[in-house]
């Protein structure tokens, strides 16, 4: 009986934690200027270590990111909350995303490394008026640049995961998102989604998807494709997608 009571208490705590974690997901804004944003996240367990955010910046741009804290469940979710709060508090103080990542890593290193945690992230600063994009990356899957002809990795920027080493300096890249194209940020739960046979969705199926469908947008359809691929198989990893796209020219 005592074991059953303990299980019920734990289940209730996880349900409450899941509700609280959902409060971290921002309401998606209207970017304006013919630009749009869509995002989705789903933890493999009740709570997880994936996160995304959309933060308005003083210059009219938007800071957006997808991050993945190593691990699953409550410990990863707690570290996710700390990382989310740190980025939110530091974002207005830095004009470029590479400097922001450098300082966030410095602040988070002690907290993460003590318990053996690390986090991967891809972060962008997007200006709807021009389509200008700053991108920096720390150990995360590359952002996908999606055109009517498929996906390409134009945004190849590198950097090690957050929390691994103190004093790491990150470098960014500046690009322009043309009308009719999209920038897709994903966590590794996309390519590593498994079906009942234990087969991975994989990068080849991911790239083939963009060749077979028209957009923008692309991300919602990709999520449906992954769900169809997974079928009744249990989720094996947290999954997150975030897409920014511009209207095609008429």
């Amino acid at each position: 009986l005592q074991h059953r009571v303990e299980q019920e208490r734990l289940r209730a705590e996880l349900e409450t934690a899941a509700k609280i974690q959902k409060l971290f997901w921002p309401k998606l804004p209207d970017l304006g200027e013919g630009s749009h944003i869509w995002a989705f996240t789903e933890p493999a367990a009740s709570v997880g270590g994936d996160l995304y955010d959309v933060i308005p910046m003083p210059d009219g741009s938007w800071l957006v990111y997808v991050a993945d804290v190593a691990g699953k469940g409550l410990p990863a979710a707690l570290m996710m909350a700390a990382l989310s709060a740190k980025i939110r508090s530091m974002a207005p103080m830095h004009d470029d995303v590479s400097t922001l990542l450098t300082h966030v890593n410095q602040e988070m290193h002690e907290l993460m490394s003590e318990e053996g945690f690390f986090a991967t992230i891809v972060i962008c600063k997007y200006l709807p008026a021009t389509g200008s994009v700053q991108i920096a990356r720390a150990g995360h899957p590359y952002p996908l640049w999606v055109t009517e002809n498929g996906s390409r990795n134009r945004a190849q920027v590198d950097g090690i995961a957050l929390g691994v080493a103190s004093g790491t300096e990150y470098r960014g890249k500046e690009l322009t998102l043309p009308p009719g194209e999209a920038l897709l940020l994903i966590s590794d739960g996309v390519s590593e989604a498994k079906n009942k046979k234990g087969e991975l969705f994989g990068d080849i199926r991911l790239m083939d998807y963009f060749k077979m469908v028209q957009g923008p947008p692309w991300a919602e359809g990709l999520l449906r494709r992954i769900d169809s691929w997974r079928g009744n198989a249990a989720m094996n990893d947290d999954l997150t997608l975030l897409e920014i796209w511009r209207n095609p020219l008429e």
Side-chain angles (χ1 to χ4, degrees):
L1 180 63
Q2 186 177 355
H3 179 64
R4 191 180 304 162
V5 170
E6 186 66 22
Q7 280 188 322
E8 278 298 308
R9 186 185 65 78
L10 181 59
R11 184 185 62 77
E13 285 184 356
L14 284 172
E15 284 182 1
T16 303
K19 288 176 185 175
I20 292 170
Q21 186 171 48
K22 286 177 182 174
L23 298 176
F24 279 84
W25 313 137
K27 290 184 178 178
L28 294 175
D30 177 9
L31 298 185
E33 307 284 351
S35 291
H36 310 274
I37 188 166
W38 180 90
F40 174 87
T41 188
E42 185 175 6
S46 299
V47 291
D50 273 16
L51 61 150
Y52 71 87
D53 207 349
V54 183
I55 304 168
M57 299 292 280
D59 61 359
S61 66
W62 295 89
L63 189 74
V64 301
Y65 69 84
V66 167
D68 181 358
V69 175
K72 298 182 184 71
L74 280 173
L78 285 169
M79 196 60 69
M80 176 279 281
L83 178 59
S84 172
K86 186 62 66 177
I87 293 173
R88 279 241 160 197
S89 68
M90 299 185 76
M93 296 184 282
H94 301 285
D95 290 332
D96 64 89
V97 291
S98 54
T99 306
L100 174 60
L101 271 197
T102 297
H103 285 84
V104 167
N105 177 70
Q106 198 63 22
E107 292 280 325
M108 291 295 295
H109 174 259
E110 186 175 349
L111 177 65
M112 287 184 157
S113 61
E114 235 175 67
E115 296 298 326
F117 279 97
F118 65 89
T120 68
I121 187 171
V122 58
I123 188 167
C124 302
K125 186 179 179 185
Y126 178 71
L127 189 62
T130 62
S132 168
V133 189
Q134 283 183 21
I135 301 175
R137 175 177 163 270
H140 202 80
Y142 283 112
L144 301 173
W145 202 283
V146 191
T147 74
E148 61 181 11
N149 300 316
S151 172
R152 50 186 173 162
N153 281 336
R154 283 182 59 192
Q156 292 201 1
V157 286
D158 292 307
I160 64 171
L162 299 176
V164 173
S166 177
T168 301
E169 291 191 7
Y170 293 89
R171 295 184 179 180
K173 191 170 186 176
E174 293 196 24
L175 299 161
T176 300
L177 183 67
E181 299 189 3
L183 186 65
L184 188 59
L185 313 184
I186 61 174
S187 66
D188 58 11
V190 170
S191 60
E192 294 179 6
K194 289 182 180 179
N195 63 12
K196 273 198 162 183
K197 297 177 182 176
E199 299 167 322
L200 296 176
F201 186 73
D203 291 336
I204 293 175
R205 287 184 184 86
L206 179 60
M207 297 307 166
D208 284 347
Y209 164 78
F210 297 116
K211 295 173 187 174
M212 292 186 291
V213 297
Q214 288 188 322
W218 281 273
E220 278 192 87
L222 175 58
L223 179 61
R224 289 193 295 270
R225 182 65 56 88
I226 293 167
D227 283 343
S228 175
W229 163 259
R230 187 188 296 122
N232 294 325
M235 284 189 67
N236 58 297
D237 196 5
D238 303 335
L239 182 151
T240 304
L241 306 97
L242 184 149
E243 179 179 21
I244 293 173
W245 74 94
R246 296 183 75 189
N247 290 338
L249 293 173
E250 295 184 1

